[in-house]
Amino acid sequence: MQIRKEKLTPSLVTYYKDPLVVHQGHMQWLYDINGNRYLDLFGGIVTVSVGHCHPIVTAAATEQMNKLWHTTSIYAYPSIHEYAEKLMSKFSGNLKVCFFANSGSEANDLAMLLARVHTGNFDLISLRNAYHGVSPYTMGITAHSTWLQPIPTRLGCVQTMNPDVYRGPWGGSRCRDSVVQTNRDCDCSEGECKACDNYIDQLED
């Protein structure tokens, strides 16, 4: 841990008084340097995983690494074409073009740029307590004080309340517009949803 403190950026916090030092992972399990096994329900925090060292993923990655690691995009390579075609077959409508990025921050950077260029509108809305990255661009729509720096990154960016039917000021069991449902009592009458309008009014204010 001393090397970590001296040689790595202090932004890499561990959150724990006694940090877990992992050594190996397999499927849903993590193992520390003392051989203790842990059921991993964390999944990389802000990433989605199919498990550690999943044999199918490992085999596909090994096959590719044994063939070609990295080259510039100005050369054509069949694998990226095959992947794009397979990925786009899962989508409907006009979602037929891929733009691959290296990280979530980079993807969000691109999305912000494309939205502004395509619409001609500069303002962006994001939800409070949302994390979208800490690049100079995405820091404007990230709404976590722990990830913000005292520099002007919020130009054109506005945060609004998260429509939360569990803990928000409005909504509950009768919220028809909610992607999730809760048992919490709701002020709405059967067949109507006041929460949606209340959240929109709050944003407009």
Side-chain angles (χ1 to χ4, degrees):
M1 295 305 298
Q2 189 63 35
I3 296 176
R4 182 185 179 99
K5 292 179 181 178
E6 294 178 355
K7 306 299 182 184
L8 297 179
T9 170
S11 64
L12 296 177
V13 294
T14 58
Y15 293 106
Y16 307 109
K17 182 179 179 181
D18 297 314
L20 177 65
V21 183
V22 294
H23 167 67
Q24 187 176 357
H26 181 70
M27 303 299 282
Q28 72 271 34
W29 302 107
L30 272 177
Y31 300 86
D32 67 15
I33 56 175
N34 297 314
N36 298 310
R37 187 177 72 168
Y38 303 87
L39 177 61
D40 186 7
L41 300 175
F42 223 24
I45 305 180
V46 292
T47 59
V48 178
S49 176
V50 294
H52 301 282
C53 305
H54 193 293
I56 295 177
V57 177
T58 300
T62 300
E63 180 183 2
Q64 181 59 52
M65 294 292 278
N66 286 332
K67 189 183 301 181
L68 181 67
W69 283 24
H70 171 74
T71 185
T72 172
S73 58
I74 66 173
Y75 303 143
Y77 187 66
S79 293
I80 193 171
H81 307 150
E82 295 166 5
Y83 177 59
E85 193 170 45
K86 185 177 292 186
L87 180 64
M88 288 299 97
S89 70
K90 308 292 184 182
F91 293 87
S92 60
N94 293 324
L95 296 175
K96 298 300 179 186
V97 177
C98 295
F99 196 126
F100 297 118
N102 293 316
S103 68
S105 292
E106 186 179 4
N108 286 337
D109 266 345
L110 176 66
M112 293 169 69
L113 176 64
L114 291 179
R116 283 170 164 168
V117 171
H118 179 71
T119 65
N121 296 319
F122 190 75
D123 291 347
L124 297 167
I125 302 172
S126 66
L127 299 177
R128 295 178 188 170
N129 300 318
Y131 176 85
H132 298 289
V134 290
S135 66
Y137 216 32
T138 57
M139 199 180 294
I141 57 173
T142 288
H144 274 290
S145 60
T146 51
W147 298 103
L148 301 179
Q149 298 297 328
I151 55 176
T153 60
R154 293 278 179 105
L155 185 62
C157 300
V158 177
Q159 270 83 42
T160 187
M161 293 175 64
N162 182 12
D164 188 343
V165 295
Y166 287 95
R167 294 174 295 180
W170 306 293
S173 57
R174 292 178 178 172
C175 278
R176 67 174 187 269
D177 297 323
S178 176
V179 295
V180 294
Q181 295 300 320
T182 177
N183 294 327
R184 192 175 79 163
D185 290 339
C186 187
D187 294 332
C188 300
S189 301
E190 193 69 38
E192 67 173 14
C193 183
K194 298 178 182 177
C196 179
D197 292 336
N198 287 337
Y199 281 112
I200 291 176
D201 289 342
Q202 177 276 144
L203 169 61
E204 292 177 347
D205 286 343

